[in-house]
Amino acid sequence: MKLLLSVTLALVCVAHSVLADTPANCTYEDIRGVWTLSESDRSAEKTEKCEGTIRAVHQVKVELQYPNVAVDEFGNKGTWTIIYNQGFEVVVNNRRYFAFSDYKQEGSRVTSICHETKPGWSHDVLGHNWACFTGHKQTNGSMIVKTYTVDEREASLKTRVFRQSADAIAKINSMQNLWTAKHYPEFEGKTYAEMELLAGGPKSKIIGRPQPAPVTDEDRYLASQLPDEFDWRNVSGVNYVSPVRNQGGCGSCFAFASVHMIESRLRRLTNNTEQVVLSPQDIVSCSEYSQGCDGGFPYLTAGKYAQDFGLTLEANYPYEGRTTKCTPKKQGNRYYTALYNYIGGFYGGTNEERMLVSLVNNGPFAIGFMVHGDFQSYHSGIYRHTHVTHDETAAQLARFNPFVETNHAVTVVGYGKDQSSGLKYWTVKNSWGASWGEHGYFRILRGTNECGMESIALEAIPIPN
């Protein structure tokens, strides 16, 4: 059966960029259910651009079941996951489908259409036989539509200049002794919009992040077999972690967290014989699945982009810290990922124990968490949010901004327990340069989902060259 759909087939270069993150806001329950995926002919290349109108020649009916089981009409079982609040990915019958949820935006009014998708991409699990598709969920006549209005007051607040308050820093240091705050001269004079880019950019924010998954007996047992502390910077005297870098004034934390994970995992897999430095700029400028300096997500970069298109070396595409046309300095071998998934197998499957097991067995991983105003002043110690703000503008942004759950991506490299306080912590690599925090790293409370640290973790398995 042939159907007319709103998709166009056109061959374009990889420099094309789609709207991701999108303003859509769809939940797990919005997506779970029976979907019909309607595809174009499966003869395209990975440079496919999907928009407009095509004549679809394939239909696949698939039920997305709890928690992450996908079953097609022929009884083939696979997996699926929502991707933040943006869309979903399905792998079934040796074929992979990815699309963003549909939406309409008129001025400040955004309507999420969660029972439909924007045109998405499909291909077999080997990365061949690409096609475009759209998805339609069986809803028994009831559409899943949600509307919200973007608050224009937030935009005006972001033009104000960020000030580091000496009183706020003193208050942080006097009210608790877990961590210390300090003044960073490099932050002076930046606007709140620029500070938001430092935290990940407006397109890295997630509405309603999941809670950590319930801990099973198997989770507890596997975690109990691990050492009390572990750090990939010092495994029997050997460092497997690549150097700290600085994202500058670009909301590219998602790209840095992604390449930092892949770099370290390549070192682990090759016993440090492949100590590569990969290019975040390639992701910022060329990724089909992110929004440049406005932000993005590791699942769609270290995961999907790295598997579909590969990552290039920093020397081939030096970091510029701005969104540019996709123009690499030179070509070269690319590094691909064999597998990628949220730790736990799906969005909502992550917890502390599963993160510990993944870290020790597989290497550093990328994670999303919430940057609060006091975190920007972190100097040393075990961070826990104090609710101290530098000025009233920060407080107003926190009240007005609906996207406050998760906004920054970083790379977890270790864990431990403080001997004096007995508190557990994660050791995390940031992308704000080596002069920030503990030589570019920070420690944060572990086991309490502090700032969402134990809710959204992504791991990928790279393929050495």
Side-chain angles (χ1 to χ4, degrees), residues 75 137 233 298 355:
K137 183 182 178 182
R233 295 173 299 174
M355 290 165 61

Side-chain angles (χ1 to χ4, degrees), residues 26 29-32 112-116 137 139 142-146:
C26 300
E29 286 301 324
D30 292 337
I31 303 301
R32 185 165 69 99
S112 301
I113 307 170
C114 299
H115 61 287
E116 304 277 0
K137 183 182 178 182
T139 60
S142 59
M143 297 184 294
I144 308 172
V145 177
K146 302 185 235 181

Side-chain angles (χ1 to χ4, degrees), residues 305-318:
Y305 179 70
Q307 184 171 94
D308 290 349
F309 298 94
L311 304 175
T312 192
L313 297 176
E314 172 69 13
N316 295 338
Y317 206 154

Side-chain angles (χ1 to χ4, degrees), residues 278-296:
L278 298 171
S279 170
Q281 190 65 47
D282 176 68
I283 297 169
V284 168
S285 295
C286 302
S287 173
E288 295 275 347
Y289 312 125
S290 65
Q291 193 71 344
C293 282
D294 282 339

Side-chain angles (χ1 to χ4, degrees), residues 200-438:
K203 304 298 185 182
S204 293
K205 295 173 181 175
I206 301 171
I207 303 174
R209 66 171 178 247
Q211 292 299 313
V215 180
T216 66
D217 290 340
E218 181 182 11
D219 292 338
R220 292 189 183 90
Y221 172 76
L222 292 175
S224 72
Q225 305 303 302
L226 302 176
D228 292 336
E229 58 182 33
F230 191 86
D231 194 321
W232 280 103
R233 295 173 299 174
N234 184 359
V235 180
S236 301
V238 179
N239 177 22
Y240 293 90
V241 179
S242 55
V244 170
R245 299 173 68 184
N246 194 336
Q247 70 186 73
C250 170
S252 53
C253 63
F254 68 100
F256 278 91
S258 297
V259 300
H260 286 163
M261 170 177 63
I262 299 301
E263 289 165 355
S264 294
R265 289 191 168 209
L266 282 169
R267 290 184 178 211
R268 185 194 73 83
L269 288 170
T270 65
N271 196 25
N272 265 339
T273 59
E274 287 195 31
Q275 296 190 17
V276 300
V277 178
L278 298 171
S279 170
Q281 190 65 47
D282 176 68
I283 297 169
V284 168
S285 295
C286 302
S287 173
E288 295 275 347
Y289 312 125
S290 65
Q291 193 71 344
C293 282
D294 282 339
F297 303 109
Y299 185 95
L300 297 175
T301 50
K304 187 162 183 61
Y305 179 70
Q307 184 171 94
D308 290 349
F309 298 94
L311 304 175
T312 192
L313 297 176
E314 172 69 13
N316 295 338
Y317 206 154
Y319 187 64
E320 298 181 50
R322 60 192 179 95
T323 304
T324 63
K325 182 180 179 181
C326 183
T327 53
K329 179 179 177 182
K330 60 181 178 179
Q331 301 297 328
N333 291 336
R334 299 183 77 87
Y335 288 83
Y336 293 85
T337 54
L339 298 170
Y340 62 93
N341 57 266
Y342 293 110
I343 291 177
F346 57 96
Y347 188 82
T350 302
N351 60 33
E352 177 196 3
E353 287 76 10
R354 293 170 186 175
M355 290 165 61
L356 292 169
V357 172
S358 173
L359 181 67
V360 174
N361 292 339
N362 301 324
F365 55 78
I367 195 161
F369 82 113
M370 180 62 199
V371 168
H372 295 285
D374 60 348
F375 179 79
Q376 291 155 346
S377 300
Y378 172 88
H379 174 53
S380 63
I382 301 174
Y383 174 78
R384 179 165 60 188
H385 180 38
T386 64
H387 299 277
V388 175
T389 58
H390 283 279
D391 61 27
E392 182 57 25
T393 301
Q396 291 180 66
L397 282 170
R399 286 197 298 269
F400 291 153
N401 185 358
F403 306 95
V404 295
E405 278 79 5
T406 301
N407 64 0
H408 190 39
V410 288
T411 311
V412 177
V413 302
Y415 65 86
K417 185 176 181 179
D418 183 70
Q419 297 302 314
S420 58
S421 65
L423 292 175
K424 302 184 299 180
Y425 60 84
W426 297 106
T427 302
V428 189
K429 182 181 182 181
N430 203 356
S431 52
W432 293 354
S435 63
W436 180 88
E438 296 180 331

